[in-house]
């Protein structure tokens, strides 16, 4: 190639142009190669289709003799095409079936190999067969029986899981649970005498009999029936308008007498689990020492409490909180 003689800038420009042309030439060669490969693939596909239709055409020529109508020719051609497609489909199915059979053979071969490997390990049945053969060969000697190792009765196995023992324990737990529930139901059905005082600024003491399982709401309903005869302001009142105050605590309606008896609950000025009355409470008592001493519970209209809650004794009253503990009983 002739060298360019001239200015340095022109020489550089000429060199860049030459590199650009070389690059374009390489890209052109790559494009030609790709087009040739695509044409090769298309020709292979065409050959496959042409082979299929060549076979159909050959069968059509061999089965057609003489002059035929166009409709007959088309019908025969369609029939031959369908027949050819069925044959190809059968070939594909046979190939798939062959592959499945080969896979099954391979699977069986692997299973057989695993079985052979497993048979190499210790097998007690083989040992028994060998012992029988030895006995047949030596009939003069008496067979020696092997002693089987059993459990040691002296070893403590209580820590091991035992289904029978667990079932027995569960059965015993269920029996105890049912027995406890029956006992509690019996306690709830026992009658107690409730001494209470209707408080409207002064006390009006009454007594009713209730069951330990009854709620405060049941008690207030019964008390209302007793009090309506003597107090006109209660004739139109409902249970929701009444409050029950026991040992300076306002008891919610959903609690039952059984709840206080079982838990031995205490109030500010006496026990909540005793509902009869002793009038000998004078001093500050120790709540840790249980005494059968309590004040009569008060039945109060909610409207009266709202008007007089700043005046003694209503000023001492507060809602009952089962989480709060009273270490000392106070009456002042």
């Amino acid at each position: 190639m002739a060298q360019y003689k001239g200015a340095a800038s022109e020489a550089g420009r000429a060199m860049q142009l030459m590199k650009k042309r070389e690059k374009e030439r390489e890209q052109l060669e790559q494009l030609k190669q790709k087009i040739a490969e695509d044409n090769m693939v298309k020709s292979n596909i065409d050959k496959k289709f042409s082979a299929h239709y060549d076979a159909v055409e050959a069968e059509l020529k061999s089965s057609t003799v003489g002059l035929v109508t166009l409709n007959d020719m088309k019908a025969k051609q369609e029939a031959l095409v369908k027949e050819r497609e069925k044959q190809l489909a059968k070939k594909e199915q046979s190939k798939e079936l062959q592959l499945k059979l080969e896979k099954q053979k391979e699977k069986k071969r692997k299973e057989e190999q695993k079985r052979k490997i497993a048979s190499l390990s210790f097998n007690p049945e083989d040992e028994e067969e060998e012992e029988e053969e030895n006995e047949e060969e030596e009939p003069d000697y008496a067979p020696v029986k092997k002693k089987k190792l059993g459990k040691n009765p002296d070893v403590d196995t209580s820590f091991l899981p035992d289904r029978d023992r667990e079932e027995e324990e569960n059965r015993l737990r269920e029996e105890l649970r049912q027995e406890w529930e029956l006992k509690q139901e019996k306690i709830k059905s026992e009658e107690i005498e409730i001494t209470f005082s209707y408080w409207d600024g002064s006390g009006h003491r009454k007594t009713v009999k209730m069951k330990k399982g009854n709620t405060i709401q049941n008690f207030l309903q019964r008390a209302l029936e007793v009090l309506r005869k003597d107090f006109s302001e209660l004739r139109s009142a409902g249970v929701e308008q009444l409050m029950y105050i026991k040992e300076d605590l306002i008891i919610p309606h959903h609690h039952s007498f059984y709840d206080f008896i079982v838990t031995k609950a205490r109030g500010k000025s006496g026990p909540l689990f005793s509902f009869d009355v002793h009038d000998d409470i004078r001093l500050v008592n120790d709540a840790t020492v249980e005494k059968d001493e309590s004040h009569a519970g008060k039945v109060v209209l909610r409207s009266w409490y709202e008007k007089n809650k700043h005046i003694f004794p209503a000023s001492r009253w507060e809602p009952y909180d089962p989480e709060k503990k009273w270490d000392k009983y106070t009456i002042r």
Side-chain angles (χ1 to χ4, degrees), residues 181-191 212:
E181 287 181 354
L182 288 172
K183 188 177 179 181
Q184 301 311 306
E185 290 297 327
K186 187 177 179 181
I187 293 172
K188 288 179 182 179
S189 62
E190 292 175 359
E191 281 193 350
K212 291 181 179 179

Side-chain angles (χ1 to χ4, degrees), residues 160-170:
L160 295 174
D162 189 342
R163 183 180 297 174
D164 295 334
R165 187 170 64 242
E166 288 176 359
E167 288 178 357
E168 180 66 22
E169 288 176 357
N170 292 333

Side-chain angles (χ1 to χ4, degrees), residues 259-279:
D259 297 336
F260 300 115
I261 292 169
V262 170
T263 59
K264 297 287 185 183
R266 299 181 178 91
K268 292 175 70 175
S269 56
L272 296 176
F273 55 86
S274 181
F275 301 97
D276 53 354
V277 176
H278 297 269
D279 293 326

Side-chain angles (χ1 to χ4, degrees), residues 44-55:
N44 290 334
I45 293 171
D46 293 339
K47 284 179 181 178
K48 288 181 181 178
F49 281 103
S50 63
H52 171 62
Y53 284 105
D54 287 345

Side-chain angles (χ1 to χ4, degrees), residues 233-296:
E233 67 270 20
L234 295 176
R235 289 173 186 171
S236 60
V239 176
E240 65 280 356
Q241 296 172 338
L242 295 178
M243 297 169 61
Y244 179 61
I245 290 81
K246 176 70 173 164
E247 307 303 342
D248 294 328
L249 295 179
I250 303 169
I251 310 299
H253 290 191
H254 64 273
H255 284 286
S256 67
F257 299 112
Y258 170 82
D259 297 336
F260 300 115
I261 292 169
V262 170
T263 59
K264 297 287 185 183
R266 299 181 178 91
K268 292 175 70 175
S269 56
L272 296 176
F273 55 86
S274 181
F275 301 97
D276 53 354
V277 176
H278 297 269
D279 293 326
D280 57 351
I281 297 179
R282 296 289 183 269
L283 303 175
V284 177
N285 296 321
D286 186 359
T288 60
V289 180
E290 297 296 353
K291 293 185 178 180
D292 190 19
E293 301 172 352
S294 65
H295 300 91

Side-chain angles (χ1 to χ4, degrees), residues 150-328:
K151 295 180 180 179
N152 187 352
D154 298 328
V155 177
D156 181 19
T157 59
S158 59
F159 61 91
L160 295 174
D162 189 342
R163 183 180 297 174
D164 295 334
R165 187 170 64 242
E166 288 176 359
E167 288 178 357
E168 180 66 22
E169 288 176 357
N170 292 333
R171 186 186 61 78
L172 183 60
R173 285 196 191 97
E174 183 63 22
E175 288 178 359
L176 291 173
R177 185 187 65 79
Q178 292 178 1
E179 184 181 346
W180 183 84
E181 287 181 354
L182 288 172
K183 188 177 179 181
Q184 301 311 306
E185 290 297 327
K186 187 177 179 181
I187 293 172
K188 288 179 182 179
S189 62
E190 292 175 359
E191 281 193 350
I192 53 171
E193 190 175 53
I194 309 295
T195 302
F196 69 96
S197 177
Y198 173 61
W199 191 265
D200 57 357
S202 60
H204 309 277
R205 187 166 293 184
K206 301 285 182 180
T207 302
V208 295
K209 286 188 177 181
M210 301 294 295
K211 291 183 179 180
K212 291 181 179 179
N214 291 141
T215 62
I216 302 301
Q217 185 176 4
N218 300 138
F219 160 69
L220 290 175
Q221 183 66 44
R222 182 77 182 90
L224 192 59
E225 293 173 2
V226 174
L227 293 170
R228 275 175 177 164
K229 300 173 185 177
D230 301 325
F231 301 96
S232 59
E233 67 270 20
L234 295 176
R235 289 173 186 171
S236 60
V239 176
E240 65 280 356
Q241 296 172 338
L242 295 178
M243 297 169 61
Y244 179 61
I245 290 81
K246 176 70 173 164
E247 307 303 342
D248 294 328
L249 295 179
I250 303 169
I251 310 299
H253 290 191
H254 64 273
H255 284 286
S256 67
F257 299 112
Y258 170 82
D259 297 336
F260 300 115
I261 292 169
V262 170
T263 59
K264 297 287 185 183
R266 299 181 178 91
K268 292 175 70 175
S269 56
L272 296 176
F273 55 86
S274 181
F275 301 97
D276 53 354
V277 176
H278 297 269
D279 293 326
D280 57 351
I281 297 179
R282 296 289 183 269
L283 303 175
V284 177
N285 296 321
D286 186 359
T288 60
V289 180
E290 297 296 353
K291 293 185 178 180
D292 190 19
E293 301 172 352
S294 65
H295 300 91
K298 295 179 177 62
V299 175
V300 182
L301 275 170
R302 196 176 295 274
S303 58
W304 183 93
Y305 171 71
E306 293 296 335
K307 290 177 184 177
N308 299 279
K309 60 184 177 182
H310 60 288
I311 303 171
F312 183 86
S315 59
R316 274 179 54 85
W317 302 345
E318 61 180 272
Y320 169 68
D321 182 5
E323 300 296 326
K324 192 171 183 179
K325 305 299 179 185
W326 300 97
D327 295 330
K328 294 287 184 182

